[in-house]
Every structure is written in C-alpha cells, then in structure tokens.
Amino acid sequence: MKELEGRVAIITGAGRGIGAATARVLAENGAKVVVTDILPEREEVASKIKVEGFDALAIKVDVTNKEEIDQAVEKTMEAFGRIDILVNNAGIFPPSTLEEMKKEDWDKVIDVNLNGTFNWTKAVLPVMEEQKYGRIVNIASIAGAVIGWGGNLVHYAASKAGMLGFTRSAALSLAPHRITINVITPGIIDTGAPQAVNTKEALEAAISMVPMKRMGKPEEIAHTVAFLASESASYITGACIVVDGGYSLV
C-alpha cells in the first residue's frame, strides 16, 4: 500500500517548481491532489498527473483572496469528501533593496507568503478538526532562518521568518486535534527562479558555498513534504526541516 493511499492533498503555488513537483510526488504516493495556483500552468500539471493514472483537480486560487480559498475548499470536499494534507507553498520574491522598496512592495510579499499561509490554514482547519486528522506542511526558506541572502530580499526573508514562528505556535494549538504542522526551509533549488533573479556570476558564487556544490532539485523538497505528510511522521510537529545541501552550515 502506498504511504498516502486514500489521503487528499491541497498544494498551493502548484503550477510550477516545488509546488508542481510536490503535487506529482504526493500523487505517486497515493494521494488525490488538488493543484491550486493563479498561474494557468496548474491545468497542465493536473492533466499530466491524471494521464499517469492518478486523481487530480486543478483550481485557480489567489492565496490572498478568502472567497476563492473557501470556494476551493468546497470544491475539494465535493470532489473527494475530505482534506488531509495542506502544503502552503505559494510565494513571491521580487528583488528590491531596502532603500528602494516601497510599502506596497513589502505588503504584497507579506500578503502572499505569510498571510496566504494563514488564510489557507484557517480555511482547512474546520475540516481537519472534524476529521481529527491533518497534516500541514509550510514551505519557507533558509532566507527566513539563518541566511541573509543579500539586502534585496528583506520582505521575503521577513515573510519566511514569520512562517517559522507561525508553524511553531500553531503546532501547540493543533496537536490536541491530531493535526501536525511542520515547516521546510529549502536552500537554493533549481526551479528556474534562482537563475531569474541572479546574474550567472552571483549564482555560481552562491552554489560554490553549498557543501554539495549543486542546487537542490524540486523533487528533493517534494519527497520531504511526502514524509511529513505520512504516518511515518505522525509524532513530528512544530519542526523545521532544513533541506539546503549544507549551505546554512557554512
């Protein structure tokens, strides 16, 4: 029997990168997956999963829009009857120096990355509490934990640090309901994003600081999510799992 057989998972920001890889890996492990994103690529991700013989549903959702989130929860319940796993992965990181950053730039990143995590967690809690079962996995970043990553991501770093505190505190509230909540802090992951926001020289310099001398793969984060969502991790809550090839050690 597959580890997640019979479980239903919602993944945010699943149109590409870590989110898309997570949807595929969870499906391969037996879960019915709900691929949510504002990007149209969500449809392609869900279609490929279904072609492989797994259950998938694509829904357009803006994580800052409570009405869209509530509708997605309703559609998931109508389609699959339960919600067992939530992966809060959606995030943005438009580079800007602190000197040039505008209030609306700050607000947008906090709204998507941190408030989006809150919005989705609140939306699924009634279902999970009634089930007396749930697995919530938040995707943060080592930028919010131990690495500064330059001065052009202060809003991103703040949002991801907020996710760490949110996870730890929420774990205490949710444990009596048999709901676990954990956070993963990825390092440099080869999603295309590092290449988009860095010069070739800057990216090579960053990779040279990774003890493993390479970027991580989206699937390596996805398999960590699958573990935390499984029964094998049933006694783990409020934990921060670092997946960065040793980058934060140096």
Side-chain angles (χ1 to χ4, degrees):
M1 180 177 177
K2 295 180 179 179
E3 191 79 31
L4 301 177
E5 196 76 49
R7 300 301 184 190
V8 177
I10 296 175
I11 306 96
T12 74
R16 60 188 179 192
I18 291 172
T22 297
R24 291 193 301 270
V25 168
L26 295 187
E28 290 166 359
N29 278 273
K32 299 175 175 64
V33 297
V34 181
V35 180
T36 75
D37 207 320
I38 59 173
L39 299 175
E41 289 92 326
R42 66 186 178 275
E43 300 290 344
E44 182 180 356
V45 172
S47 294
K48 288 182 177 179
I49 290 171
K50 287 189 283 188
V51 166
E52 293 172 3
F54 307 115
D55 290 322
L57 175 66
I59 306 177
K60 178 183 179 297
V61 184
D62 178 345
V63 299
T64 69
N65 188 314
K66 184 180 183 301
E67 182 178 350
E68 289 187 5
I69 292 172
D70 289 341
Q71 290 173 352
V73 169
E74 291 178 8
K75 290 178 181 178
T76 300
M77 293 299 291
E78 290 172 1
F80 301 126
R82 58 187 297 119
I83 299 170
D84 301 290
I85 301 160
L86 169 66
V87 183
N88 285 308
N89 168 74
I92 59 173
F93 46 94
S96 174
T97 64
L98 181 58
E99 291 80 5
E100 296 175 343
M101 189 177 296
K102 299 177 182 177
K103 179 63 162 53
E104 51 264 35
D105 300 329
W106 171 275
D107 288 345
K108 180 64 175 177
V109 171
I110 296 297
D111 205 19
V112 173
N113 298 3
L114 185 54
N115 293 343
T117 296
F118 169 80
N119 293 339
W120 260 109
T121 301
K122 285 283 289 182
V124 302
L125 278 186
V127 176
M128 290 185 173
E129 289 179 352
E130 184 175 349
Q131 294 171 171
K132 284 291 181 182
Y133 183 92
R135 299 282 187 267
I136 301 172
V137 182
N138 298 325
I139 308 299
S141 167
I142 58 172
V146 294
I147 299 295
W149 265 355
N152 62 349
L153 290 173
V154 293
H155 45 6
Y156 177 76
S159 69
K160 295 303 185 178
M163 290 177 73
L164 300 182
F166 174 82
T167 300
R168 288 193 297 268
S169 185
L172 297 174
S173 299
L174 301 181
H177 301 284
R178 296 183 60 222
I179 300 170
T180 68
I181 179 168
N182 296 288
V183 60
I184 298 171
T185 54
I188 306 171
I189 307 300
D190 190 8
T191 61
Q195 295 90 332
V197 299
N198 290 285
T199 64
K200 181 180 178 181
E201 292 74 18
L203 184 57
E204 289 176 350
I207 294 172
S208 72
M209 294 177 63
V210 179
M212 290 187 175
K213 303 302 179 187
R214 67 173 177 87
M215 288 189 284
K217 302 173 184 177
E219 290 75 17
E220 290 173 308
I221 306 301
H223 285 293
T224 308
V225 173
F227 166 68
L228 291 172
S230 73
E231 288 307 297
S232 298
S234 60
Y235 204 53
I236 301 174
T237 195
C240 174
I241 309 298
V242 180
V243 186
D244 69 351
Y247 187 49
S248 57
L249 301 176
V250 299

